[in-house]
């Protein structure tokens, strides 16, 4: 009986949090006002997009002779890309992502979940297919898919100190988004991005940090403890560690950017003290860029 009561309480708690998370994500998505043509790039489709100067290798049938007659150069008439894209999203929900230095500031995980769901709402509205990369379910474009993602992200996290990115299903030519603090072992990330590059999957890495993780404001006697409690370090002169910490964080960022670039991905760092709108716009632009 106690087990059933505990399960019911967990379900009720999840149901109470789900509408708030989904509503907040959809509200954030609406603030960008991208409209129904947010995928603006050339490709297979019926709608006219733009003219561009003809390049070497373009077939004569692609030239718009009427438009070209008004100029000294030939122009190609491009159509807007309309094929649905599969986008896989991994949100780090490890213990390190639960950190916030201020009770009035969202945790790294809260911001990551919000951004992941908001960009999913934008992509689905634009006709794309989305899925959570670590679930292994196929990407879909529907309100039901968005609700399913919100339900999963509202549940408890993995319980490990640091998240390990994982893509269980990797369709070729898809797009992917990883949102994490990337404070753990960088090798699993390199392996995943190399695997993605082999299948021509392009994407974006968004590193989410609390502002104190960048400025290291600590001084004097300080006890540092990982969110999972597995690592503890006490020092009497925390200020003496500041320069080394900042240097190591800078090196980690440079490493992340280099790893992303090698795989054809983009990298950016977002602070939870900043606006979610700016981060969402960067994510959407990064995922929608041309190959």
């Amino acid at each position: 009986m106690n087990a059933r009561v505990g399960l019911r309480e967990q379900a009720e708690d999840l149901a109470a949090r789900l509408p708030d998370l989904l509503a907040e994500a959809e509200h954030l998505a609406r603030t960008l006002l991208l409209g129904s043509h947010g995928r603006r790039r050339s490709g297979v489709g019926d709608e006219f997009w733009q003219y561009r100067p003809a390049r070497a290798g373009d077939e004569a049938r692609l030239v718009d002779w009427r438009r070209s007659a008004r100029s000294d150069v030939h122009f190609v008439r491009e159509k807007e890309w309309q094929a649905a894209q599969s986008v896989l999203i991994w949100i780090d929900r490890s213990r390190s992502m639960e950190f916030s230095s201020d009770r009035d500031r969202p945790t790294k995980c809260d911001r990551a979940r919000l951004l992941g769901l908001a960009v999913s709402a934008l992509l689905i509205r634009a006709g794309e297919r989305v899925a959570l990369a670590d679930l292994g379910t196929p990407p879909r474009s529907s309100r039901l898919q968005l609700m399913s993602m919100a339900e999963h992200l509202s549940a408890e996290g993995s319980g490990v100190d640091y998240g390990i990115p994982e893509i269980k299903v990797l369709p070729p030519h898809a797009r992917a988004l990883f949102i994490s603090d990337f404070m753990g072992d960088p090798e699993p990330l390199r392996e995943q991005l190399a695997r993605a590059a082999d299948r021509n999957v392009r994407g974006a890495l968004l590193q989410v940090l609390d502002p104190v993780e960048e400025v290291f404001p600590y001084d004097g006697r300080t006890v540092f403890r990982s969110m999972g409690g597995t690592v503890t370090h006490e020092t009497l002169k925390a200020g003496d560690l500041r320069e080394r910490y900042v240097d190591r964080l800078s090196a980690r960022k440079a490493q992340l950017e280099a790893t992303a670039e090698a795989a054809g991905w983009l990298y950016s760092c977002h602070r939870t003290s900043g606006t979610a709108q700016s981060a969402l716009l960067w994510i959407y632009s990064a995922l929608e860029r041309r190959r």
Side-chain angles (χ1 to χ4, degrees), residues 39 41-46 80-86 126-129 288:
R39 302 185 307 251
R41 57 182 184 268
S42 62
V44 178
D46 299 321
E80 183 179 0
W81 181 86
Q82 292 178 338
Q85 181 81 45
S86 292
E128 312 285 32
R129 298 186 297 260
E288 293 301 297

Side-chain angles (χ1 to χ4, degrees), residues 174-186:
R175 295 293 173 99
L177 169 67
F178 291 174
I179 306 180
S180 170
D181 59 9
F182 298 111
M183 290 294 197
D185 182 4

Side-chain angles (χ1 to χ4, degrees), residues 21-41:
L21 174 61
L22 188 55
E24 187 179 2
E26 292 184 321
H27 173 73
L28 175 59
R30 286 193 295 270
T31 64
L32 290 195
L33 298 176
L34 292 177
S36 60
H37 294 283
R39 302 185 307 251
R40 307 294 289 180
R41 57 182 184 268

